[in-house]
Short mmCIF file of all heavy atoms in Angstrom, two decimals:
data_model
loop_
_atom_site.label_atom_id
_atom_site.label_comp_id
_atom_site.label_asym_id
_atom_site.label_seq_id
_atom_site.Cartn_x
_atom_site.Cartn_y
_atom_site.Cartn_z
N ASN H 161 72.06 136.46 135.49
CA ASN H 161 71.23 135.28 135.27
C ASN H 161 70.31 134.99 136.44
O ASN H 161 69.35 134.27 136.31
CB ASN H 161 72.11 134.05 135.04
CG ASN H 161 72.81 134.15 133.69
OD1 ASN H 161 72.25 134.65 132.73
ND2 ASN H 161 74.04 133.67 133.63
N SER H 162 70.64 135.58 137.61
CA SER H 162 69.81 135.26 138.77
C SER H 162 69.26 136.53 139.41
O SER H 162 69.94 137.55 139.47
CB SER H 162 70.63 134.46 139.79
OG SER H 162 71.77 135.19 140.14
N ILE H 163 68.05 136.43 139.87
CA ILE H 163 67.35 137.56 140.46
C ILE H 163 67.77 137.68 141.94
O ILE H 163 67.93 136.69 142.63
CB ILE H 163 65.82 137.39 140.30
CG1 ILE H 163 65.12 138.73 140.46
CG2 ILE H 163 65.23 136.37 141.20
CD1 ILE H 163 64.85 139.40 139.15
N SER H 164 68.00 138.90 142.38
CA SER H 164 68.33 139.14 143.80
C SER H 164 67.80 140.52 144.16
O SER H 164 67.31 141.26 143.30
CB SER H 164 69.82 139.06 144.03
OG SER H 164 70.44 140.26 143.59
N SER H 165 67.96 140.89 145.42
CA SER H 165 67.49 142.22 145.85
C SER H 165 68.31 143.33 145.17
O SER H 165 67.89 144.47 145.17
CB SER H 165 67.58 142.33 147.36
OG SER H 165 68.92 142.10 147.77
N LYS H 166 69.45 142.97 144.59
CA LYS H 166 70.27 143.95 143.89
C LYS H 166 69.81 144.18 142.44
O LYS H 166 70.29 145.09 141.77
CB LYS H 166 71.75 143.51 143.88
CG LYS H 166 72.40 143.62 145.25
CD LYS H 166 73.91 143.46 145.12
CE LYS H 166 74.62 143.81 146.41
NZ LYS H 166 74.56 142.74 147.41
N SER H 167 68.92 143.32 141.95
CA SER H 167 68.42 143.47 140.58
C SER H 167 67.54 144.71 140.49
O SER H 167 66.76 144.98 141.39
CB SER H 167 67.60 142.25 140.16
OG SER H 167 68.33 141.06 140.38
N ASP H 168 67.67 145.47 139.38
CA ASP H 168 66.84 146.65 139.19
C ASP H 168 65.57 146.33 138.40
O ASP H 168 64.52 146.89 138.65
CB ASP H 168 67.63 147.74 138.45
CG ASP H 168 68.80 148.24 139.29
OD1 ASP H 168 68.55 148.85 140.34
OD2 ASP H 168 69.95 147.98 138.91
N TYR H 169 65.71 145.44 137.40
CA TYR H 169 64.57 145.09 136.56
C TYR H 169 64.57 143.59 136.25
O TYR H 169 65.62 142.98 136.12
CB TYR H 169 64.65 145.80 135.19
CG TYR H 169 64.46 147.29 135.25
CD1 TYR H 169 65.56 148.14 135.30
CD2 TYR H 169 63.19 147.86 135.24
CE1 TYR H 169 65.39 149.52 135.35
CE2 TYR H 169 63.02 149.23 135.28
CZ TYR H 169 64.12 150.06 135.34
OH TYR H 169 63.95 151.42 135.38
N LEU H 170 63.36 143.05 136.07
CA LEU H 170 63.20 141.74 135.48
C LEU H 170 62.45 141.97 134.17
O LEU H 170 61.33 142.48 134.17
CB LEU H 170 62.38 140.81 136.37
CG LEU H 170 62.09 139.44 135.74
CD1 LEU H 170 63.37 138.61 135.62
CD2 LEU H 170 61.04 138.67 136.54
N LEU H 171 63.10 141.64 133.05
CA LEU H 171 62.44 141.71 131.75
C LEU H 171 61.82 140.34 131.54
O LEU H 171 62.51 139.34 131.40
CB LEU H 171 63.46 142.04 130.65
CG LEU H 171 62.95 141.97 129.21
CD1 LEU H 171 61.74 142.84 128.99
CD2 LEU H 171 64.06 142.35 128.25
N SER H 172 60.49 140.31 131.58
CA SER H 172 59.77 139.06 131.61
C SER H 172 58.99 138.81 130.33
O SER H 172 58.19 139.64 129.91
CB SER H 172 58.83 139.10 132.82
OG SER H 172 58.07 137.92 132.86
N GLY H 173 59.25 137.66 129.71
CA GLY H 173 58.53 137.27 128.50
C GLY H 173 57.46 136.25 128.82
O GLY H 173 57.10 136.03 129.98
N GLU H 174 56.98 135.58 127.77
CA GLU H 174 55.96 134.53 127.93
C GLU H 174 56.52 133.39 128.79
O GLU H 174 57.72 133.12 128.75
CB GLU H 174 55.58 133.94 126.56
CG GLU H 174 54.88 134.91 125.63
CD GLU H 174 53.52 135.34 126.16
OE1 GLU H 174 52.73 134.45 126.53
OE2 GLU H 174 53.27 136.55 126.20
N SER H 175 55.64 132.72 129.50
CA SER H 175 55.96 131.57 130.34
C SER H 175 57.23 131.73 131.15
O SER H 175 58.15 130.93 131.06
CB SER H 175 56.00 130.27 129.50
OG SER H 175 56.87 130.38 128.40
N SER H 176 57.27 132.82 131.93
CA SER H 176 58.38 132.98 132.86
C SER H 176 57.96 132.32 134.17
O SER H 176 56.81 132.37 134.56
CB SER H 176 58.71 134.45 133.06
OG SER H 176 57.54 135.20 133.30
N GLY H 177 58.90 131.70 134.84
CA GLY H 177 58.56 130.91 136.01
C GLY H 177 59.04 131.48 137.33
O GLY H 177 58.61 132.54 137.76
N SER H 178 59.97 130.76 137.94
CA SER H 178 60.39 131.06 139.32
C SER H 178 61.06 132.44 139.45
O SER H 178 60.95 133.07 140.49
CB SER H 178 61.35 129.98 139.81
OG SER H 178 62.49 129.92 138.98
N LYS H 179 61.74 132.90 138.40
CA LYS H 179 62.38 134.22 138.48
C LYS H 179 61.32 135.32 138.65
O LYS H 179 61.52 136.27 139.39
CB LYS H 179 63.22 134.51 137.23
CG LYS H 179 64.52 133.72 137.18
CD LYS H 179 65.31 134.04 135.93
CE LYS H 179 66.54 133.15 135.85
NZ LYS H 179 67.25 133.31 134.59
N TYR H 180 60.19 135.13 137.98
CA TYR H 180 59.09 136.09 138.08
C TYR H 180 58.58 136.13 139.52
O TYR H 180 58.42 137.21 140.10
CB TYR H 180 57.97 135.69 137.10
CG TYR H 180 56.84 136.69 137.03
CD1 TYR H 180 56.88 137.71 136.09
CD2 TYR H 180 55.74 136.59 137.88
CE1 TYR H 180 55.84 138.65 136.02
CE2 TYR H 180 54.70 137.52 137.81
CZ TYR H 180 54.76 138.54 136.88
OH TYR H 180 53.74 139.46 136.81
N ASP H 181 58.33 134.96 140.09
CA ASP H 181 57.82 134.87 141.47
C ASP H 181 58.81 135.48 142.45
O ASP H 181 58.44 136.20 143.37
CB ASP H 181 57.54 133.41 141.84
CG ASP H 181 56.50 132.78 140.92
OD1 ASP H 181 55.67 133.54 140.34
OD2 ASP H 181 56.50 131.55 140.76
N LYS H 182 60.10 135.19 142.24
CA LYS H 182 61.13 135.72 143.15
C LYS H 182 61.21 137.24 143.04
O LYS H 182 61.34 137.93 144.05
CB LYS H 182 62.48 135.06 142.83
CG LYS H 182 63.52 135.35 143.88
CD LYS H 182 64.76 134.50 143.73
CE LYS H 182 65.75 134.85 144.83
NZ LYS H 182 67.05 134.22 144.66
N ALA H 183 61.13 137.75 141.79
CA ALA H 183 61.17 139.21 141.59
C ALA H 183 60.01 139.87 142.31
O ALA H 183 60.18 140.90 142.97
CB ALA H 183 61.13 139.54 140.10
N LEU H 184 58.82 139.26 142.20
CA LEU H 184 57.63 139.78 142.91
C LEU H 184 57.89 139.85 144.39
O LEU H 184 57.65 140.87 145.04
CB LEU H 184 56.43 138.87 142.64
CG LEU H 184 55.51 139.20 141.47
CD1 LEU H 184 54.38 138.19 141.38
CD2 LEU H 184 54.97 140.61 141.57
N SER H 185 58.38 138.74 144.96
CA SER H 185 58.57 138.69 146.42
C SER H 185 59.68 139.64 146.89
O SER H 185 59.65 140.10 148.02
CB SER H 185 58.86 137.25 146.87
OG SER H 185 60.14 136.87 146.43
N LEU H 186 60.64 139.96 145.99
CA LEU H 186 61.73 140.88 146.38
C LEU H 186 61.40 142.34 146.05
O LEU H 186 62.17 143.24 146.40
CB LEU H 186 63.04 140.49 145.67
CG LEU H 186 63.70 139.19 146.09
CD1 LEU H 186 64.84 138.83 145.15
CD2 LEU H 186 64.22 139.28 147.53
N GLY H 187 60.29 142.54 145.35
CA GLY H 187 59.91 143.91 144.99
C GLY H 187 60.75 144.49 143.85
O GLY H 187 60.89 145.70 143.72
N VAL H 188 61.30 143.60 143.01
CA VAL H 188 62.06 144.05 141.83
C VAL H 188 61.07 144.48 140.76
O VAL H 188 60.06 143.81 140.53
CB VAL H 188 62.98 142.91 141.29
CG1 VAL H 188 63.63 143.28 139.99
CG2 VAL H 188 64.02 142.54 142.34
N LYS H 189 61.34 145.61 140.08
CA LYS H 189 60.44 146.10 139.04
C LYS H 189 60.39 145.12 137.86
O LYS H 189 61.42 144.78 137.30
CB LYS H 189 60.90 147.47 138.55
CG LYS H 189 59.92 148.10 137.57
CD LYS H 189 60.11 149.61 137.45
CE LYS H 189 59.26 150.24 136.38
NZ LYS H 189 57.84 149.95 136.42
N ILE H 190 59.18 144.66 137.53
CA ILE H 190 59.00 143.70 136.43
C ILE H 190 58.45 144.45 135.23
O ILE H 190 57.45 145.17 135.33
CB ILE H 190 58.03 142.58 136.85
CG1 ILE H 190 58.60 141.82 138.07
CG2 ILE H 190 57.78 141.61 135.69
CD1 ILE H 190 57.64 140.87 138.74
N ILE H 191 59.13 144.28 134.09
CA ILE H 191 58.64 144.91 132.86
C ILE H 191 58.49 143.86 131.78
O ILE H 191 59.21 142.86 131.77
CB ILE H 191 59.59 146.05 132.37
CG1 ILE H 191 61.01 145.52 132.14
CG2 ILE H 191 59.59 147.23 133.33
CD1 ILE H 191 61.97 146.53 131.50
N ASP H 192 57.53 144.08 130.85
CA ASP H 192 57.41 143.17 129.72
C ASP H 192 58.16 143.81 128.54
O ASP H 192 58.69 144.90 128.64
CB ASP H 192 55.94 142.88 129.40
CG ASP H 192 55.16 144.13 128.99
OD1 ASP H 192 55.78 145.17 128.71
OD2 ASP H 192 53.93 144.05 128.94
N GLU H 193 58.15 143.10 127.44
CA GLU H 193 58.93 143.54 126.29
C GLU H 193 58.44 144.88 125.74
O GLU H 193 59.24 145.73 125.34
CB GLU H 193 58.88 142.46 125.20
CG GLU H 193 60.06 142.56 124.27
CD GLU H 193 60.18 141.36 123.33
OE1 GLU H 193 59.46 140.35 123.53
OE2 GLU H 193 60.99 141.45 122.39
N LYS H 194 57.12 145.08 125.74
CA LYS H 194 56.55 146.32 125.25
C LYS H 194 57.03 147.50 126.09
O LYS H 194 57.44 148.53 125.56
CB LYS H 194 55.00 146.22 125.27
CG LYS H 194 54.33 147.04 124.22
CD LYS H 194 52.92 146.54 123.97
CE LYS H 194 51.93 147.60 124.41
NZ LYS H 194 50.54 147.14 124.34
N GLU H 195 56.99 147.31 127.41
CA GLU H 195 57.45 148.38 128.30
C GLU H 195 58.95 148.59 128.16
O GLU H 195 59.43 149.72 128.22
CB GLU H 195 57.09 148.04 129.75
CG GLU H 195 57.29 149.24 130.66
CD GLU H 195 56.75 149.04 132.07
OE1 GLU H 195 56.16 147.98 132.36
OE2 GLU H 195 56.94 149.96 132.87
N TYR H 196 59.70 147.51 127.96
CA TYR H 196 61.16 147.61 127.74
C TYR H 196 61.44 148.51 126.53
O TYR H 196 62.23 149.43 126.61
CB TYR H 196 61.76 146.21 127.52
CG TYR H 196 63.16 146.24 126.96
CD1 TYR H 196 64.25 146.64 127.76
CD2 TYR H 196 63.41 145.88 125.63
CE1 TYR H 196 65.53 146.70 127.22
CE2 TYR H 196 64.69 145.94 125.11
CZ TYR H 196 65.74 146.33 125.91
OH TYR H 196 67.02 146.38 125.38
N GLU H 197 60.73 148.25 125.41
CA GLU H 197 60.92 149.04 124.19
C GLU H 197 60.57 150.51 124.44
O GLU H 197 61.27 151.42 124.00
CB GLU H 197 60.08 148.50 123.04
CG GLU H 197 60.52 147.12 122.53
CD GLU H 197 61.92 147.07 121.93
OE1 GLU H 197 62.40 148.09 121.38
OE2 GLU H 197 62.57 145.99 122.03
N ARG H 198 59.50 150.74 125.18
CA ARG H 198 59.06 152.11 125.47
C ARG H 198 60.11 152.84 126.32
O ARG H 198 60.53 153.94 125.97
CB ARG H 198 57.70 152.08 126.19
CG ARG H 198 57.08 153.46 126.39
CD ARG H 198 55.74 153.38 127.12
NE ARG H 198 55.84 152.85 128.47
CZ ARG H 198 56.33 153.53 129.52
NH1 ARG H 198 56.77 154.76 129.36
NH2 ARG H 198 56.38 152.99 130.72
N LEU H 199 60.55 152.20 127.40
CA LEU H 199 61.55 152.81 128.29
C LEU H 199 62.88 153.04 127.59
O LEU H 199 63.52 154.07 127.77
CB LEU H 199 61.77 151.93 129.53
CG LEU H 199 60.65 151.86 130.53
CD1 LEU H 199 60.89 150.73 131.53
CD2 LEU H 199 60.48 153.19 131.26
N LYS H 200 63.26 152.08 126.75
CA LYS H 200 64.52 152.16 126.02
C LYS H 200 64.56 153.37 125.11
O LYS H 200 65.56 154.05 125.01
CB LYS H 200 64.68 150.86 125.21
CG LYS H 200 65.86 150.81 124.29
CD LYS H 200 65.84 149.53 123.51
CE LYS H 200 65.09 149.73 122.20
NZ LYS H 200 65.12 148.54 121.36
#
């Protein structure tokens, strides 16, 4: 439920807030739903 430096991915949908910003600052890979489906 919470983003940290140990997180591998943030799956980000519409209107994502502070988790998105934190993932950016920690360098966690951010993917959207389309990319999630492709990688999966």
Side-chain angles (χ1 to χ4, degrees):
N161 291 324
S162 57
I163 199 96
S164 77
S165 58
K166 289 192 170 78
S167 308
D168 295 294
Y169 292 96
L170 175 69
L171 173 55
S172 177
E174 294 296 310
S175 54
S176 48
S178 60
K179 286 180 185 173
Y180 186 91
D181 300 335
K182 190 168 180 188
L184 267 180
S185 70
L186 291 171
V188 172
K189 185 161 174 52
I190 300 169
I191 57 173
D192 62 13
E193 204 170 349
K194 209 160 114 186
E195 192 171 357
Y196 165 72
E197 292 297 330
R198 186 180 63 75
L199 289 168
K200 174 184 91 176

